[in-house]
Amino acid sequence: MPANTKLKTDIDPNTTLQISRVFDAPRALVWKVWTDPVHMMHWFCAGGFKTLSVNVDLRVGGEYCFSMMSPSGSTHTAGGTYQEIKAPERLVYSHIWVKSCTPGAPKEGRNTTVTVDFIEQGDKTLVNFMHEGLDGYPDVESHRGGWTGFLENLAGYVDGRTEVGAEELVITRTFNAPRDLVWKVWTEQEHLAHWWGPKGATMKHAALDLKPGGSFHYCMDHAGMEMWGKFIYRDIKSPERLVFTSGFSDKDGNIVAAPFPGMEDKFPRQVLNIWTFEERDGKTIATGRGMPIDATQKERDFFKDMNASMQAGNKGMLDQLEEYIASLA
């Protein structure tokens, strides 16, 4: 079935929401960021919310689930099953609110259907979005506000771009230790103080609140310079996945510009970090992916140019972690 270039007119406005929007990005890119959970983490939430987690099994019959946190701190989770996938033209999937992304979690509300058509318009992309099966006009209008926020976030992420992910920092290290131990040293304050930070740095202060929306606020001495930093946790799935934003901060926990001359307006204030931990033959493969979030093109370009330097810095830090884990054996 070809993608719809126009919104339907033969719908019941009391049960169906339709939104149409043109994005200043090629269709392949818009499709990619709508179907890749790493990119969905940057925008897949209502306006003013924060994406906490996104799980995607992109196949007909596969499931997706995402959680987002409201400005007040409450968590909202939804998911469903892919019914039609025609890359890069169309997605059709069910949508229902759930208690959590745990398989078999209780469902809440109505099981509805979302159809997204991606229409190529030169270098731009027209997206026709339709949400069917809603529970009356007030429900339609409530979802209009929510989905409009999603599309605003998407525009902020893709408009003016021809590619995403080129600036991504990818790090992999295999540790000769079981996954539970590796997870422990990543998520407990007393262990983080022994290895987190540039090689040779000394942790002077640490405060950890390990929960979605919680933080790790720390201060370290590096070559005589005092540096403050902060994680804000988004998704914690022990012992498999850890998602958090990271950035420089002040002593009060406010995110600030990089404290290095010449980098203040170039280095992104926040980086989205996704770390996964896979156990294999008694060892643990840790893979980290880092990308600027809410960043300007200038910041994204600078982050990309810093890739080799950051690889070297992370190597030194993970060397420290490897030595520390060995000391615990």
Side-chain angles (χ1 to χ4, degrees):
M1 174 182 265
N4 296 318
T5 56
K6 296 181 180 179
L7 294 177
K8 290 185 177 181
T9 57
D10 57 340
I11 61 138
D12 182 353
N14 293 307
T15 60
T16 301
L17 166 68
Q18 293 191 99
I19 305 174
S20 183
R21 176 154 185 165
V22 175
F23 295 92
D24 184 17
R27 180 169 65 171
L29 185 148
V30 178
W31 173 271
K32 179 179 181 179
V33 303
W34 202 297
T35 56
D36 184 332
V38 170
H39 295 293
M40 293 169 75
M41 282 292 302
H42 287 260
W43 70 272
F44 205 73
C45 61
F49 284 59
K50 296 292 185 184
T51 310
L52 298 176
S53 66
V54 182
N55 301 320
V56 170
D57 181 9
L58 191 66
R59 59 185 176 85
V60 174
E63 297 184 347
Y64 75 95
C65 189
F66 71 96
S67 293
M68 57 184 179
M69 184 170 63
S70 74
S72 67
S74 59
T75 300
H76 304 262
T77 303
T81 302
Y82 290 104
Q83 300 170 353
E84 181 182 347
I85 302 171
K86 187 178 181 182
E89 298 178 15
R90 166 173 282 198
L91 281 175
V92 182
Y93 47 88
S94 62
H95 181 279
I96 190 168
W97 296 106
V98 294
K99 284 287 188 181
S100 73
C101 285
T102 303
K107 296 178 171 55
E108 303 174 314
R110 299 167 69 90
N111 196 16
T112 57
T113 301
V114 171
T115 300
V116 190
D117 287 314
F118 304 83
I119 300 99
E120 200 165 39
Q121 294 194 336
D123 294 333
K124 299 184 180 183
T125 305
L126 168 65
V127 169
N128 284 338
F129 178 93
M130 183 167 65
H131 193 171
E132 300 174 271
L134 298 172
D135 188 22
Y137 187 72
D139 195 28
V140 170
E141 290 307 297
S142 173
H143 280 81
R144 186 186 306 279
W147 286 120
T148 297
F150 275 74
L151 297 179
E152 287 289 338
N153 293 340
L154 175 59
Y157 187 53
V158 301
D159 276 1
R161 304 181 70 176
T162 57
E163 62 175 346
V164 292
E167 67 272 23
E168 186 177 30
L169 175 68
V170 181
I171 304 160
T172 299
R173 176 69 68 96
T174 299
F175 296 98
N176 187 23
R179 182 168 62 171
D180 285 345
L181 176 58
V182 175
W183 177 265
K184 187 181 181 74
V185 300
W186 264 93
T187 56
E188 294 186 5
Q189 179 176 312
E190 58 268 33
H191 295 301
L192 281 163
H194 285 274
W195 66 271
W196 176 260
K199 196 165 188 175
T202 302
M203 190 81 72
K204 298 173 58 179
H205 166 83
L208 176 65
D209 182 16
L210 188 71
K211 65 181 182 182
S215 65
F216 173 49
H217 186 216
Y218 61 89
C219 177
M220 61 182 61
D221 184 292
H222 183 231
M225 178 181 179
E226 185 178 89
M227 291 192 304
W228 289 85
K230 188 175 184 180
F231 299 177
I232 301 176
Y233 293 102
R234 292 197 172 190
D235 185 31
I236 302 165
K237 187 177 181 182
S238 172
E240 300 173 15
R241 183 174 66 244
L242 197 60
V243 181
F244 57 93
T245 58
S246 62
F248 295 101
S249 76
D250 59 22
K251 63 182 179 62
D252 297 317
N254 301 304
I255 300 298
V256 299
F260 307 110
M263 291 177 59
E264 300 93 332
D265 63 341
K266 296 178 182 177
F267 196 83
R269 292 206 172 200
Q270 292 198 78
V271 174
L272 179 67
N273 302 270
I274 301 174
W275 279 90
T276 58
F277 305 90
E278 177 188 356
E279 191 161 46
R280 187 180 301 173
D281 300 326
K283 298 183 179 182
T284 303
I285 302 171
T287 302
R289 302 174 71 175
M291 295 177 66
I293 193 166
D294 299 331
T296 64
Q297 186 63 53
K298 180 180 180 181
E299 290 169 337
R300 290 194 294 264
D301 289 342
F302 186 77
F303 192 85
K304 178 181 177 181
D305 292 341
M306 287 285 290
N307 196 294
S309 175
M310 290 187 292
Q311 287 281 358
N314 277 279
K315 179 183 182 303
M317 182 178 70
L318 295 181
D319 286 346
Q320 292 182 150
L321 173 56
E322 194 164 8
E323 293 169 5
Y324 179 64
I325 290 175
S327 75
L328 299 176

